[in-house]
Amino acid sequence: MLNLAIEVNARMGILWKEYGTFKEEGIERGESLWVQKQYRNDTDENNISNTDLRSSLKGEINTEVAVIGGGLAGVLIAYLLQSRGVPVVVLECRKAGGGATKNTTAKITSGHSLIYKKLITYKGEQRAREYAMANQEAIQKYKDIINELQINCDFEHFPNYIYSLSDEQKIRQEVDAALRLGLPASFTKETTLPFKIKGAIRLDNQAQFHPLKFLDAVASKLTIYENTRVKQINKKGLIVTDGGKVRAKKVVVATHYPFINVPGYYFIRLHQERSYLTALEGWDQKKQPLDGMYLDEDQKGFTFRKYNDYLILGGGSHRVGKYQPLDAYGKIEKAAQKWYPHTSVKYTWSSQDCMTPDSIPYIGRYSVRTPNIYVATGFNKWGMSSSMVSAMIISDMITGRDNKNRNVFKPRRLMLSGSPKLLKDVAIITISLLSEHLNIPHDKLKDIQKGKAGVIRHNGQRVGVYRSKDDKYYFVSTKCPHLGCKLEWNQNEMTWDCPCHGSRFDYHGKMINNPAMSDTFDSCRLIKKIK
């Protein structure tokens, strides 16, 4: 069916057409520190974005560039283009900054775990230096824009640390690699962490900020159509939305996960990962100061940073659909009580990141067959610096300027280092697609405990069931509407998630994260039939 739809659309000059719909956004379990209602509802000098006043697109407009996606990457791409005199509009299906941007740790750094030794080994020193310098320049570009627009977004310079609890040699090798590339790196064992480490790479003059205060200030300078859902894209740049049309010479897809499957085939070259965060209050900064931003090089470890009187503590990273630990927030709270016993959790939230096989974002032309379409995705948990890198590279490409750091980010590149991960992703997709149709044992409805979920089989179909604590049942199809993979239950977030491509749905079946473009289905249709 997918191939037939592609063939029919191609004959009609349609590059992409939506294959589903959703009525309202799914509900996430937590709300991040950055989405403070007292901030976005206030009318003080920080809230200059008129975020409640933006309209959806009605009618037809013409523009040079249309950016699809109003997150940090899309807003920055549009801002840099507009600053060069390029007419540009942003199309956002929800609210600007309402997706991945609101769930970040908001570290602006070139310290991307232990990446530089790996890059030199597999990409060569020139490409590794391009990556390092692009991210260093991103930090300075943030500072320039903040100064230019006089943005009060709590921007602060701090060192960034990647530490190890077990392997000093690994850290020393990373420090040597970073120094070869010109980064402000040093080795240290002295930190303000509440435990001893084997070693850490310290990068000086990195930064942190409030991402939504920054985004809202920049977005206020742009033409952004919110609550505007893209329904169709034609090869010549005609974009059809649910309320109008945009005719653009060039299109930028900055939607976190690229939604155009063919051409591009990003659904084969990306997977998504989740991590969990808390903001702790009651932290005594005098007795337990934190002098910078910290991240364990071990994926099972923790991340630390401060924001005003809050301590942000996170961890529990895993591939979407593969849940270890099952109680990620419990693990973080247990660590908080051990290291910061007088604190309490004020906010809890989770983030989701697109991961590439070789740990480098895809920034550039969407595919060789679509020279007028650009993409920015695969930020590998470093969305703040990668958003700015995307803006610098894509704005240069569109305006015909040379960018000396762009080659390492080309979407069509050789990825020798990423081959094992790419093969693993393909295997997971294949297994998930097959298991959705296999007649394997399932749970019995009566055995599903309150506050838990299970999978039953009804009329030959797998049905996901969540039983709430007040003894209500919620039924969904476990077939992901994106490409048909099997959805898995996430007890941490009480959501149904796709292990193949990262689509997520609340227990009502309403969509939270793309690339799926529709809800699973109206769960109410099954209730009377099953119960």
Side-chain angles (χ1 to χ4, degrees), residues 71-318:
L72 188 59
V75 165
L76 284 172
I77 291 167
Y79 178 77
L80 293 191
L81 286 169
Q82 182 172 282
S83 67
R84 297 178 184 180
V86 178
V88 57
V89 299
V90 179
L91 306 176
E92 168 57 44
C93 74
R94 296 169 178 168
K95 187 173 183 177
T101 302
K102 73 178 187 301
N103 294 327
T104 177
T105 55
K107 301 175 182 177
I108 312 171
T109 178
S110 54
H112 297 174
S113 194
L114 304 184
I115 192 173
Y116 292 108
K117 181 178 182 296
K118 174 184 173 181
L119 289 183
I120 291 174
T121 300
Y122 290 101
K123 302 290 184 179
E125 193 164 319
Q126 178 180 343
R127 293 290 179 262
R129 183 171 290 106
E130 291 171 2
Y131 183 92
M133 291 302 102
N135 284 283
Q136 279 294 106
E137 290 172 15
I139 301 171
Q140 183 59 47
K141 190 65 175 178
Y142 271 109
K143 188 174 182 180
D144 293 344
I145 293 174
I146 289 167
N147 290 336
E148 176 186 344
L149 299 181
Q150 293 295 292
I151 303 172
N152 179 8
C153 60
D154 307 308
F155 180 88
E156 299 176 282
H157 279 296
F158 281 105
N160 185 79
Y161 298 84
I162 307 296
Y163 64 89
S164 176
L165 299 176
S166 61
D167 196 332
E168 176 180 333
Q169 184 62 24
K170 183 189 294 185
I171 297 296
R172 289 191 179 276
Q173 290 174 346
E174 184 70 7
V175 172
D176 291 343
L179 288 171
R180 283 174 61 184
L181 301 175
L183 291 170
S186 61
F187 176 85
T188 185
K189 291 186 176 183
E190 301 299 321
T191 72
T192 52
L193 291 170
F195 46 79
K196 292 187 179 297
I197 63 170
K198 287 293 185 180
I201 174 173
R202 169 176 169 149
L203 288 173
D204 288 316
N205 207 34
Q206 309 298 288
Q208 62 183 38
F209 68 156
H210 189 302
L212 293 188
K213 288 183 179 181
F214 174 83
L215 180 143
D216 285 348
V218 176
S220 69
K221 309 297 181 183
L222 303 171
T223 300
I224 300 179
Y225 295 100
E226 294 184 332
N227 300 309
T228 297
R229 181 177 173 83
V230 173
K231 299 174 73 69
Q232 180 178 307
I233 302 175
N234 287 24
K235 292 180 179 180
K236 294 185 178 181
L238 173 64
I239 301 172
V240 180
T241 76
D242 52 359
K245 296 179 181 179
V246 180
R247 298 184 185 276
K249 295 180 180 178
K250 298 183 185 299
V251 177
V252 180
V253 178
T255 55
H256 183 68
Y257 196 109
F259 58 89
I260 304 172
N261 286 326
V262 181
Y265 299 94
Y266 289 95
F267 66 93
I268 298 176
R269 302 189 290 132
L270 286 170
H271 74 268
Q272 297 201 62
E273 293 188 3
R274 297 197 64 70
S275 52
Y276 302 85
L277 297 159
T278 62
L280 307 177
E281 61 180 357
W283 168 45
D284 191 335
Q285 298 190 46
K286 292 183 179 179
K287 291 184 178 179
Q288 291 184 287
L290 196 68
D291 69 340
M293 305 170 288
Y294 288 87
L295 177 67
D296 194 333
E297 57 86 17
D298 188 334
Q299 184 169 312
K300 297 179 181 179
F302 293 89
T303 180
F304 302 75
R305 68 153 283 196
K306 63 180 180 178
Y307 174 71
N308 292 340
D309 294 331
Y310 293 105
L311 174 65
I312 299 175
L313 176 63
S317 179
H318 61 79

Side-chain angles (χ1 to χ4, degrees), residues 13 47 79 84 138 140-141 211 217 229 240 276 324 330 344 347 359 385 392 398 456 470 475 495:
N47 192 21
Y79 178 77
R84 297 178 184 180
Q140 183 59 47
K141 190 65 175 178
R229 181 177 173 83
V240 180
Y276 302 85
Q324 295 294 334
S344 60
Y347 298 96
S359 303
S385 58
M392 293 189 291
I398 289 176
I456 65 172
D470 59 355
F475 301 86
T495 56

Side-chain angles (χ1 to χ4, degrees), residues 448-463:
I448 299 174
Q449 299 176 11
K450 293 180 181 181
K452 303 292 183 180
V455 177
I456 65 172
R457 184 164 289 276
H458 177 69
N459 291 339
Q461 180 183 5
R462 296 178 80 255
V463 177

Side-chain angles (χ1 to χ4, degrees), residues 2 19 255-261 265-274 319-323 352-355 377 422 424-433 479-488 496-505 513-517:
L2 178 61
Y19 49 86
T255 55
H256 183 68
Y257 196 109
F259 58 89
I260 304 172
N261 286 326
Y265 299 94
Y266 289 95
F267 66 93
I268 298 176
R269 302 189 290 132
L270 286 170
H271 74 268
Q272 297 201 62
E273 293 188 3
R274 297 197 64 70
R319 182 185 178 116
V320 176
K322 304 293 182 181
Y323 300 105
Q352 183 150 314
D353 300 280
C354 292
M355 313 296 291
T377 189
L422 186 61
K424 181 180 178 181
D425 287 346
V426 172
I428 288 173
I429 293 170
T430 302
I431 293 170
S432 184
L433 285 169
K479 184 177 182 180
C480 181
H482 175 230
L483 289 177
C485 292
K486 180 185 68 172
L487 300 179
E488 303 286 354
W496 292 99
D497 301 354
C498 176
C500 297
H501 308 108
S503 300
R504 299 176 62 241
F505 310 84
N513 289 97
N514 69 338
M517 304 297 286

Side-chain angles (χ1 to χ4, degrees), residues 493-525:
E493 298 294 312
M494 295 193 298
T495 56
W496 292 99
D497 301 354
C498 176
C500 297
H501 308 108
S503 300
R504 299 176 62 241
F505 310 84
D506 67 15
Y507 58 79
H508 295 277
K510 296 175 182 177
M511 191 189 77
I512 297 175
N513 289 97
N514 69 338
M517 304 297 286
S518 66
D519 300 336
T520 53
F521 60 71
D522 184 354
S523 58
C524 295
R525 290 189 302 176

Side-chain angles (χ1 to χ4, degrees), residues 278 280 302 313 327-341 343 345:
T278 62
L280 307 177
F302 293 89
L313 176 63
D327 186 7
Y329 290 120
K331 177 183 176 181
I332 297 170
E333 290 182 33
K334 184 178 179 180
Q337 288 304 305
K338 177 182 178 181
W339 297 326
Y340 305 98
T343 62
V345 175

